[in-house]
Amino acid sequence: MTDSNVNIIKLTAAEIASKIAAGELTAVEVTEAHLARIEAVDEKVHAFLHVDRDGALAQARAVDEKRANGEKLGPLAGVPLALKDIFTTEGIPTTVGSKILEGWIPPYDATLTKRLKAADVVILGKTNMDEFAMGSSTENSAYGPTGNPWDLTRIPGGSGGGSSAALASYQAPLAIGTDTGGSIRQPASVTGTVGVKPTYGAVSRYGMVAFSSSLDQGGPCARTVLDAALLHEVIAGHDPLDSTSIDAPVPAVVEAARNGSVDGMRVGVVKQFRGEGYQAGVVQRFDESVSLLKELGAEIVELDCPSFDLALSAYYLIAPSECSSNLARFDGLRYGLRTGDDGTHSAEEVTALTREAGFGDEVKRRIMLGTYALSSGYYDAYYGSAQKVRTLITRDFEKAFEQVDVIVSPTTPTTAFPIGERADDPMAMYLADLCTIPTNLAGNAAMSLPCGLAPEDNLPVGLQIIAPAMQDDRLYKVGAAVEAAFVERWGHPLIEEAPSL
């Protein structure tokens, strides 16, 4: 890559937008620099499943024409973005990391995709992910795993590992992920980036391929808190096409990110978010972060949320049950893969053969778990009981937020583990989402941002911030203050430490 390209890809999204608006850079120059970076490194990283070079350059040229004509540009106009391959995109493939949708070209855009285009954000392509967002490592993709740019032999998190790896390897300054049990925050944690799960219903799910409808939530991924806030503002807002969409104003997240402060805030620390299974370096960096919050003027409050210990068990009944229902639509008859349609098999046989060939092991595992939990005689014992636990978790959060403004915890119990290490141990894999799942069950907002490197392996550690529903601005207010303090301490954002590819 040329020196000018290197300079461009190291800019934040806010800086890129500002330079394009001022005429210091063109959107085409910025897009070409990131496309060149993708060409140079993605063979090793495998962050992208599809790169839409022609489409991205066409979007960039349109931004430059707008500017030349004196038209008003949005706050992210011309900024490139990597889009998780779970959102439909008219004219380019959407696979959800599965063979069952290989080659499917959607005839329409998801609402989130439309909002990105309307804001003149340049979509570079679609990123790799665990099949149907089921996983914590991006090893369950039908198209092969993604590597963590800090160490390509390690996982970049999941299910949105492609989006987080694209950010950490400077292939894009912005990305979109989805979070069902932590799939935005967990990848952010292990790659040293920023990821936000907005309040459930704050970002439209229309056109987002469903995994678990009461838990799924799209959200912004970036390298800085301000960049995440700018993207959050673009994608959030009521959508009449989504019955779960919240009809309320978007919280002032950008203003909060520009005016970060924790002075006088009450910050909760939950005793259930530590103990056995937590890596020593993760606990050390978290404890340092809590001390920093105190130095910045926050009051630290110890919290006891006993139902959080049941969150993992409840999640792995609720999510598979909903996935078993949602994935019934993939029958090999209407779209996507079709196997066995040679005139000798019935429709039912074609459906069975297609699902056998098209779904991976983890998807099959969750469908079977969910179907069993919903079956006659077991519904009340399993799914019904899990929903009662979900209510208890929500009540624990409500009680906690009567005492504090936000809650903090480690985002993940460990740093990035080696690819393949937990492939044959689903329970060990599921534990990666131990700290993130309670927030999804309650529908609250949460963020992960980098809080240093674990001393034993020199890999990123994430700090999770949790806020009440529709108080997403608190995430950015606290996150920006913590980020500024860390930048002052390190002299630069943590992402600068990532090894060069």
Side-chain angles (χ1 to χ4, degrees):
M1 295 185 69
T2 65
D3 289 343
S4 61
N5 280 351
V6 170
N7 292 336
I8 289 171
I9 65 171
K10 292 295 181 77
L11 296 172
T12 68
E15 289 168 341
I16 289 171
S18 176
K19 288 181 179 294
I20 289 173
E24 297 173 26
L25 285 173
T26 68
V28 168
E29 285 176 325
V30 171
T31 301
E32 286 178 337
H34 286 90
L35 288 170
R37 177 66 172 176
I38 292 169
E39 189 173 342
V41 305
D42 201 51
E43 187 176 350
K44 290 184 279 186
V45 179
H46 194 215
F48 285 88
L49 292 179
H50 177 80
V51 178
D52 184 23
R53 181 180 182 85
D54 293 341
L57 288 170
Q59 292 172 64
R61 283 192 290 270
V63 172
D64 289 336
E65 287 174 13
K66 278 189 174 182
R67 186 188 172 280
N69 294 332
E71 296 179 45
K72 183 176 171 60
L73 297 178
L76 288 176
V79 180
L81 175 139
L83 181 60
K84 187 175 182 180
D85 197 25
I86 196 170
F87 290 94
T88 56
T89 42
E90 184 179 1
I92 66 171
T94 298
T95 70
V96 203
S98 178
K99 290 290 184 184
I100 209 160
L101 279 179
E102 186 172 23
W104 181 57
I105 309 293
Y108 70 103
D109 279 331
T111 295
L112 180 143
T113 308
K114 285 182 179 178
R115 287 181 173 170
L116 291 171
K117 290 180 177 178
D120 293 317
V121 174
V122 175
I123 300 173
L124 295 169
K126 311 294 284 294
T127 55
N128 198 16
M129 57 181 285
D130 284 303
E131 185 181 5
F132 282 95
M134 298 180 196
S136 304
S137 62
T138 312
E139 292 172 280
N140 294 329
S141 170
Y143 305 98
T146 296
N148 189 324
W150 288 78
D151 178 348
L152 292 173
T153 69
R154 293 178 181 260
I155 60 102
S159 63
S163 289
S164 65
L167 294 171
S169 56
Y170 294 100
Q171 297 184 66
L174 295 174
I176 294 289
T178 61
D179 197 306
T180 305
S183 292
I184 288 174
R185 290 162 289 157
Q186 189 250 22
S189 177
V190 300
T191 58
T193 57
V194 177
V196 178
K197 185 203 88 69
T199 298
Y200 177 79
V203 175
S204 174
R205 291 188 301 111
Y206 180 77
M208 186 177 91
V209 181
F211 160 18
S212 180
S213 300
S214 74
L215 300 167
D216 297 341
Q217 184 59 66
C221 309
R223 291 194 293 262
T224 71
V225 171
L226 176 59
D227 284 359
L230 290 165
L231 183 54
H232 187 139
E233 199 166 72
V234 165
I235 62 175
H238 180 244
D239 178 15
L241 297 175
D242 176 4
S243 62
T244 61
S245 176
I246 297 173
D247 190 1
V250 178
V253 293
V254 174
E255 180 184 343
R258 293 190 190 278
N259 299 284
S261 172
V262 296
D263 190 31
M265 293 185 76
R266 298 164 302 162
V267 176
V269 177
V270 179
K271 75 175 188 179
Q272 281 76 16
F273 284 148
R274 64 191 304 140
E276 187 180 348
Y278 286 76
Q279 185 176 321
V282 169
V283 174
Q284 179 183 336
R285 293 296 177 238
F286 173 67
D287 288 344
E288 290 171 357
S289 299
V290 172
S291 297
L292 175 64
L293 286 164
K294 197 170 182 178
E295 290 174 24
L296 294 173
E299 176 191 351
I300 307 301
V301 180
E302 296 287 335
L303 297 171
D304 184 11
C305 299
S307 62
F308 285 13
D309 285 337
L310 304 172
L312 197 69
S313 300
Y315 174 87
Y316 278 103
L317 284 168
I318 293 169
S321 295
E322 294 184 3
C323 115
S324 136
S325 174
N326 277 324
L327 270 61
R329 72 194 67 178
F330 298 97
D331 54 13
L333 303 179
R334 287 169 287 188
Y335 44 75
L337 181 71
R338 181 181 299 175
T339 302
D341 186 16
D342 57 5
T344 67
H345 296 101
S346 67
E348 291 80 6
E349 289 170 332
V350 169
T351 295
L353 289 167
T354 298
R355 289 173 175 166
E356 169 61 28
F359 288 143
D361 289 345
E362 183 62 25
V363 172
K364 290 174 183 173
R365 181 183 294 118
R366 297 199 193 193
I367 290 172
M368 288 188 288
L369 277 170
T371 303
Y372 180 79
L374 294 174
S375 61
S376 177
Y378 295 99
Y379 181 95
D380 288 334
Y382 293 108
Y383 184 74
S385 296
Q387 291 289 18
K388 291 175 183 175
V389 170
R390 185 178 196 170
T391 300
L392 294 175
I393 290 167
T394 302
R395 288 175 181 169
D396 271 0
F397 269 120
E398 289 170 353
K399 290 176 186 174
F401 285 125
E402 289 173 1
Q403 304 173 62
V404 299
D405 299 301
V406 297
I407 295 168
V408 295
S409 77
T411 308
T412 57
T414 69
T415 55
F417 50 87
I419 292 172
E421 182 180 78
R422 303 184 187 179
D424 298 323
D425 189 350
M427 285 306 299
M429 186 75 78
Y430 297 164
L431 288 170
D433 296 331
L434 196 62
C435 302
T436 52
I437 279 172
T439 309
N440 295 86
L441 290 169
N444 298 327
M447 167 190 287
S448 178
L449 74 159
C451 64
L453 304 176
E456 60 265 54
D457 55 23
N458 216 37
L459 291 171
V461 175
L463 172 69
Q464 179 175 223
I465 306 166
I466 305 170
M470 293 309 291
Q471 302 295 325
D472 302 46
D473 51 321
R474 293 187 193 176
L475 303 177
Y476 293 96
K477 186 179 176 69
V478 176
V482 171
E483 180 184 66
F486 281 144
V487 169
E488 184 177 345
R489 175 177 297 180
W490 296 324
H492 48 68
L494 176 62
I495 191 66
E496 292 289 342
E497 294 282 326
S500 176
L501 289 170

